[in-house]
Amino acid sequence: MDSISTDWTAAAAAEHGATIALRRAIHADPELGLDCYRTTAKLKDALAGLPLTIRDSRSTSGFVARLDGAKPGRTVILRGDMDALPIHEDTGLAFGSAISGHMHACGHDTHSAMLAGAARILCARRDAIAGTILFMFQPGEEGMAGARHMIDEGLLDDPAPEAAFAIHVFPNVPGGIIACREGALLAATDTLAATIIGKGGHAAMPHDTRDPIPVACEAVVALQAHIARRTTFTDPAILSITQINGGSAHNIIPDRVTIGGTLRTLSEARRNDSRVAFKRIVSGIAQAHDCTAETNIEPGYPATINDPRAVALVRACANDLLGTDAYHDIPAPIMGGEDFAFVLQKIPGAMAILGVAPPEGDPAARPPIHNAKMLVDEAALARGVALHCAFATRFLADGWA
Ligand SMILES: [Zn+2]
Ligand SMILES: [Zn+2]
């Protein structure tokens, strides 16, 4: 098809009031996990009357809205997540969370509102579109694998997209900056747990016990030594033990100690190697001290791997729409995780970062995502709306050319 000669920046500016109103309504009414039905209702209200075919997820509150252009062509998917976090908001915003203990502290309110804005703009230009655009509105990003649920239900198969794009806002990146990187953008996440089992007794008679507390301490130190000495900086792993629980009184040696934490990796080889090492080290140290250990690793999300062709498309769109100063290459992966990784395992594409730091002060000093004081410069959201439009229509027009 011919490229649509639309000024996406102007279109997003015209849509900006509606985007902000929707974002604030979602922000004030945050929902957690896979069941974000009030949010779904707000989004569907915003899309009412548009030439979209809606397919609801059966196991979540998510849905996919399909726009068929006037002519046939390629298929592209744009994704926005919609769930909040169990954090008590402390921003003082007039439209702050009305739900005690819940907050949109990862910007997913902005993601779904930007995607709805892009859907409205693209629907208005349906006559100029050859191909199909799927808008994926997804709950349960924060640990519930909402994207995988929707994939398992076949919501991304009809028709099968050939490219996938998502935008994540960052409140400590300067407002309006678009950043991306080829390959690993975000890490695989695994949850680690172990129980070290000894034999309890009187604290003054440790020789009659098998004290699990020094064993747990030794295991934690040995795990860090493994990361420091057995992994390479070119294929890194982060292993953080974040919980140690054991004991009930100052004069009782406990029977058992539990430890818990997280493992972050960028390749499947490193992920497998680190999982094996966790079990080997904890069990081996327990055995060395005449204790036993039980370990459990709960798999989380895979690494988020951006396709170089999609990153080139993101860069080209950012340069065209926003000028060459707006695009930045991210020098190193971010060791957080994202369930858009499941989409990218199936469909080549990219997640881009949109800076939304408020203009005043040092952006890097701003409260980050997952912080109760996180703030968003709403002016930057128009850039996200315009970029969504550009990602989709550029791919439909030119493919990976
Ligand atoms: Zn998050
Ligand atoms: Zn997020």
Side-chain angles (χ1 to χ4, degrees), residues 106 108 141-142 168 338:
C106 203
H108 301 183
E141 191 287 318
E142 299 288 356
H168 203 301
E338 240 295 338

Side-chain angles (χ1 to χ4, degrees), residues 121-141:
I121 291 169
L122 291 163
C123 283
R125 289 153 182 80
R126 179 179 174 275
D127 287 349
I129 293 174
T132 297
I133 303 172
L134 302 179
F135 302 93
M136 177 186 182
F137 292 93
Q138 178 223 301
E141 191 287 318

Side-chain angles (χ1 to χ4, degrees), residues 277-299:
F278 174 72
K279 293 180 180 179
R280 185 183 68 239
I281 289 167
V282 174
S283 298
I285 287 175
Q287 188 188 17
H289 293 286
D290 219 1
C291 294
T292 58
E294 295 167 359
T295 57
N296 185 50
I297 300 172
E298 201 67 48

Side-chain angles (χ1 to χ4, degrees), residues 1-8 51 67-73 121-133 389 392-394 396-398:
M1 68 176 264
D2 299 328
S3 290
I4 304 177
S5 56
T6 296
D7 182 343
W8 300 120
L67 169 62
D68 287 312
K71 288 179 248 171
I121 291 169
L122 291 163
C123 283
R125 289 153 182 80
R126 179 179 174 275
D127 287 349
I129 293 174
T132 297
I133 303 172
C389 296
T393 54
R394 185 180 287 253
L396 292 186
D398 303 329

